[in-house]
Amino acid sequence: MKIAWAFTGAGHMLLESVETLEKIASEEKNQITVLLSGAGEEVLKMYGLFDRIKALTGGYYQEMILEKDQMWSYPISGRFSLGRYDLLIVSPTTSNTIAKLVHGIADNLVTNAVAQAGKGKVRTILVPVDLESGDLDTVLPSKLELELCQNCDTCEAAAACPPDAITPGVEIDLLKCEGCSACQVSCPYGAVSGGSIITIHMRNIDIENTRNLKRLEGVDVFPRPTDILEHI
């Protein structure tokens, strides 16, 4: 199968999405094209998952497509309107992406791909991060725990950071962070955490937009990335 997998800028279910994609890519019958929105590229790097995705690509119809390389016309979307793929998967799908889709807006790489997939009758699977109302536990990337920081004269975590993403005693610049975890290992006081769980509240508007995805032709909505394995 020719499968395109698109990542948006969500951290929730990101690791599970990567692991599911790796399972699909391990089957010789599948060719994988990865589409990364600008936010998707940033978030994969923050969580240290970018290289795992890159390792799955290489060759025709097995490319990694970055939004920043597609300019404003997104020529890669032509493959979808021509029906060149068997399946498009967007997982995880942010509330922003879903809101655009249900209102017919196609102004970035991922929303263009979904719109053109509809026109080319390419089946599309979405895994929304905002599916049900209530509270949701999600995982954070690297975080500086200020209450544990000792304001050392020489910050070992900052010294160990390859992209120089840490301002000692202040914050981690996540747009520079590569998710390598060197800072977590280097800090003797455990002042840099990774994988911390926080609880966020789902907004009613985002839940309603997710429900409205049923109006889109040829689109299936699954609650978890692993559910995809049973339906391809």
Side-chain angles (χ1 to χ4, degrees), residues 188-216:
Y189 302 102
V192 184
S193 64
S196 298
I197 305 295
I198 62 167
T199 300
I200 57 176
H201 184 73
M202 300 296 98
R203 302 188 308 167
N204 290 333
I205 183 64
D206 297 327
I207 301 303
E208 183 62 26
N209 284 334
T210 298
R211 290 172 182 158
N212 286 334
L213 288 173
K214 64 183 179 182
R215 303 195 324 238
L216 302 181

Side-chain angles (χ1 to χ4, degrees), residues 156-196:
E156 297 294 335
C161 179
D164 194 26
I166 299 177
T167 302
V170 180
E171 65 179 357
I172 299 175
D173 184 345
L174 292 178
L175 292 179
K176 292 182 179 179
C177 179
E178 297 175 350
C180 66
S181 301
C183 55
Q184 298 172 35
V185 175
S186 300
C187 178
Y189 302 102
V192 184
S193 64
S196 298

